Amino acid sequence: MDLVTRLRAAVPAEHVLDDPAVVESYLQDQAEWAQYAQAAAVVRPRSTEEVRAVVRLAAELRVPVVPRGAGTGLSGGANAIEGCVVLAFEAMNQVLEIDTVERLAVVQPGVVNDDLRSACAAKDLWYPPDPASAPWSTIGGNVATNAGGLCCVKYGVTRDYVLALEVVTGRGEVVRIGHRTAKGVAGYDLCGLMVGSEGTLGIITEITVRLRPQRPAERTIAGYFDSVVAAGEAVSAVSASGVVPSALELVDRHCLEAVDAWKNMGLSTEANVVLLGRVDTPGEYGEHEARTVLRCFEEAGATWAALSSDEHEAEALFDARRLAYPALERLGPVLTEDVCVPKALVPEMLARIEKSAAEHDTLIANIAHAGDGNLHPLLITPIGDEDAKRRAQAAFEDIIADAIELGGTVTGEHGVGLLKRAGLRRELSPAVLEMHRAVKTALDPLNILNPGKIFT
């Protein structure tokens, strides 16, 4: 009996897809340069029991299982492995509970980030993690990569909001880890360990997240700069000032031009680099913080800077930030970096990125969660130009080396997946890598859960 037949015996047959044209659409995420292979089947489960049935069968047959959310990842973490079963979670998309007293929500992994945020807003609550892909990415995928976002400079990343998880282990057992209480330190932090593990330690089937009260209105500060290095100096100045902005985002000229060409917003005619700050502290002190950020922009050499008095105009600027990546994709294949360095070294890292672009004759656009040192250099190559692709790959490796040299990390929020495995070996010592592998072996002894990701 072949694998597909046995899958259809284990779960409702209509949940198992093996039409090659359909399966093809599930084979890779948005990391265009990451390799992928042909899956044997795609299963779209509706329940934890169906996930357990699939994993138990995979364990019996030693078949790899690759979990997948919306496929918006940028590191190849959800890419198919030859002969694997892809577990696609778009049908497990229910918000199961929102508790306004405990300020928590319980969701299935296929819930879209923005849908959860909207459901919480209806109850005057807020789920902070807001990756740029929030309109499409799922909470399960966000948990798998420990996604960040625009407001994480002040409010933290996904791991800071995950209270509890339901997980199917590599042996096909269903376990619950974490807690619903405000505090809890019983045993090891297995919940925190699972966040960011990219499906290599367990298959997440339910997520309990911490919520906050709705935030106050934000004040937006915009600054235009002649260079990314000057904008980086402004970022360092804001950090040194003691103000913790609710967002501090950088968008360079290449991104602005791409957005203008697509959406005709007219931004690239006014600036080489735009720095966008927000503060959400209420009252008079919030006004003081906003003016401090404005002063930092001006003293760092902004050619123009102002507190926005038009909320629609301010939101349009942040829309340009969110549109940068898809706008650049229109120019050719995009290789996305995700390095993070100490905030004080943001200007130095941006200068090194510019140097890599020149040395390797590669177009590198820059967007960044600049307030926490998380930079996203985007390397663009003409379609079909293999020499340009080789040059871009060399620049990619140089940027990773520079980030590590400056005391940074190879990934701040996109995950290691396939693209950053070599970088991870450079960042972590052999002893620490062995600790990671020991955890993987303990929780997935048959090595069927997304094998080959994160580590080679």
Side-chain angles (χ1 to χ4, degrees), residues 285-356:
Y285 193 72
E287 185 68 25
H288 165 72
E289 287 187 333
R291 297 208 170 275
T292 299
V293 173
L294 177 62
R295 186 182 71 249
C296 290
F297 285 13
E298 292 171 339
E299 291 178 354
T303 57
W304 174 85
L307 268 163
S308 177
S309 58
D310 184 331
E311 191 56 39
H312 294 293
E313 178 184 69
E315 198 55 45
L317 289 169
F318 274 88
D319 284 344
R321 160 63 181 88
R322 296 183 184 96
L323 289 169
Y325 182 81
L328 288 164
E329 283 188 305
R330 292 159 54 88
L331 305 180
V334 178
L335 180 59
T336 307
E337 280 278 17
D338 172 38
V339 294
C340 195
V341 298
K343 289 178 286 187
L345 296 177
V346 166
E348 171 66 17
M349 189 64 212
L350 288 167
R352 292 192 183 200
I353 292 167
E354 287 199 324
K355 181 182 177 185
S356 292

Side-chain angles (χ1 to χ4, degrees), residues 115-195:
D115 290 347
L116 172 60
R117 291 160 68 87
S118 296
C120 293
K123 296 181 179 291
D124 291 324
L125 294 170
W126 177 44
Y127 177 65
D130 62 338
S133 59
W136 313 284
S137 64
T138 62
I139 301 299
N142 294 168
V143 171
T145 59
N146 193 23
L150 276 64
C151 72
C152 62
V153 58
K154 183 171 184 177
Y155 292 102
V157 295
T158 300
R159 182 178 282 118
D160 299 307
Y161 293 89
V162 176
L163 289 169
L165 296 169
E166 180 183 76
V167 178
V168 177
T169 72
R171 297 183 185 275
E173 300 169 331
V174 178
V175 299
R176 287 185 174 272
I177 53 179
H179 50 82
R180 288 173 60 110
T181 53
K183 298 171 68 176
V185 293
Y188 297 130
D189 184 9
L190 297 179
C191 193
L193 176 66
M194 202 65 63
V195 180

Side-chain angles (χ1 to χ4, degrees), residues 24 47 58 70 73 94 108 130 140 158 169 184 200 203 212 229 240 269 284 306 310 327 336 340 357 374 437 447:
E24 178 72 23
S47 69
Q94 299 300 305
Q108 293 182 312
D130 62 338
T158 300
T169 72
T200 63
I203 308 295
R212 285 178 171 269
V229 176
T269 62
E284 185 176 333
D310 184 331
T336 307
C340 195
N374 190 187
R437 292 191 177 103
N447 194 31

Side-chain angles (χ1 to χ4, degrees), residues 234-266:
V235 171
S236 294
V238 171
S239 180
S241 76
V243 174
V244 181
S246 53
L248 188 55
E249 297 290 307
L250 180 149
V251 189
D252 80 355
R253 183 175 188 82
H254 299 303
C255 297
L256 296 172
E257 288 176 342
V259 172
D260 281 349
W262 185 21
K263 299 294 186 180
N264 195 30
M265 297 178 73

